Amino acid sequence: MRTVATALAVLFSSTVMAVGTAGPAAADSAGALPITSYGDIAVDGVHKRVYISDPAGNKVVVTDYTGRVVATVPDLSGVRDLAISPDSGFVYAALPGADAVVAIETTGSTAAARYGTGENTDPQTLAVAGGRVWFAYGEESSRNLGSFDPAQGTPEIALDQLPGNAWTVAPELESAGNTLVLGFHGTWSELAVYDVSTGAPVLRKEGGAGRCPQRHGGLRAQCRRRADRHHLRYLLLRGDRDQRR
């Protein structure tokens, strides 16, 4: 798709310029990636690798900062969201089609472990916070939150961690340290910040980022994206500050 190709080209160009490891020839080059769809991107700054999920192709493509393909991780049914561990040791991938989360080891870009999340859980989005992998799961009308500790040999999968507070659709997950944020990239109103330092989410903040125009689609969409970005940054910083008090 043209949109995907453009987005990836911008990402690679920005990454190359940011790290300063390639000259103008690398930044100006472009090539097609072996993907038929786009799910998510994760950037490993330690090993200088970019991970792109291809849900239709059931795979994750791994490139260097110039966009050159260095590995492919196959057999990942419907792979969608990606999340990288704080030490860049693993990239976790949500597999809605297999009711599982896979850990991709970053030094070799291979699937190192598979964690079953339960029948018909349909994990959609991921984040790593407080030493646990968190995932939004469930049927369309009652999404909830689950997690597991990947440091355990055979980790126990904790489900229904937001009792009485299920989401109608799978929220996006973002994290910083022991802070986990749930929200929607396409709206400005539903965001919730949790402290997950104990392994159980404790609500710290919730709310929205303000109002956007109800008409004029282009302006409204721009306002929503800007509000999401600034409010998410605010909530992450505010959540960390509150925990330190």
Side-chain angles (χ1 to χ4, degrees):
M1 293 175 59
R2 183 180 179 88
T3 302
V4 172
T6 302
L8 295 179
V10 170
L11 169 72
F12 292 134
S13 299
S14 301
T15 306
V16 168
M17 290 187 290
V19 298
T21 58
D28 294 340
S29 63
L33 291 173
I35 60 175
T36 56
S37 63
Y38 163 70
D40 196 16
I41 287 179
V43 178
D44 174 8
V46 173
H47 303 100
K48 296 179 172 58
R49 293 290 184 262
V50 180
Y51 292 75
I52 306 110
S53 65
D54 178 2
N58 300 313
K59 64 187 177 184
V60 168
V61 173
V62 188
T63 77
D64 60 18
Y65 277 2
T66 68
R68 180 178 63 91
V69 176
V70 297
T72 299
V73 186
D75 303 321
L76 304 178
S77 181
V79 59
R80 184 179 175 232
D81 214 38
L82 303 174
I84 192 164
S85 61
D87 63 357
S88 289
F90 294 93
V91 171
Y92 295 96
L95 309 186
D99 294 327
V101 173
V102 163
I104 300 172
E105 196 267 330
T106 54
T107 57
S109 296
T110 57
R114 180 178 292 243
Y115 306 95
T117 54
E119 186 177 2
N120 297 323
T121 47
D122 189 31
Q124 295 284 326
T125 53
L126 292 173
V128 182
R132 299 179 70 85
V133 177
W134 299 84
F135 56 94
Y137 75 94
E139 297 180 353
E140 192 67 27
S141 59
S142 59
R143 297 287 185 182
N144 213 296
L145 187 67
S147 70
F148 62 88
D149 180 358
Q152 298 179 356
T154 305
E156 177 183 355
I157 306 296
L159 298 176
D160 194 26
Q161 294 198 263
L162 296 178
N165 193 27
W167 295 61
T168 56
V169 296
E172 299 291 339
L173 306 184
E174 301 289 350
S175 62
N178 293 322
T179 300
L180 181 69
V181 176
L182 283 68
F184 297 121
H185 287 176
T187 69
W188 68 95
S189 58
E190 294 184 64
L191 288 171
V193 179
Y194 292 89
D195 174 8
V196 295
S197 57
T198 65
V202 177
L203 183 64
R204 295 303 189 194
K205 301 288 178 183
E206 64 179 343
R211 295 183 177 274
C212 286
Q214 296 302 308
R215 299 182 182 272
H216 309 295
L219 179 61
R220 183 186 182 195
Q222 182 181 13
C223 175
R224 283 184 169 186
R225 288 193 296 270
R226 189 186 309 117
D228 283 344
R229 184 168 61 252
H230 292 313
H231 194 56
L232 180 56
R233 185 182 301 118
Y234 163 77
L235 288 173
L236 284 169
L237 294 173
R238 181 68 178 269
D240 282 344
R241 186 168 69 246
D242 288 348
Q243 289 181 43
R244 291 195 297 268
R245 287 179 178 173

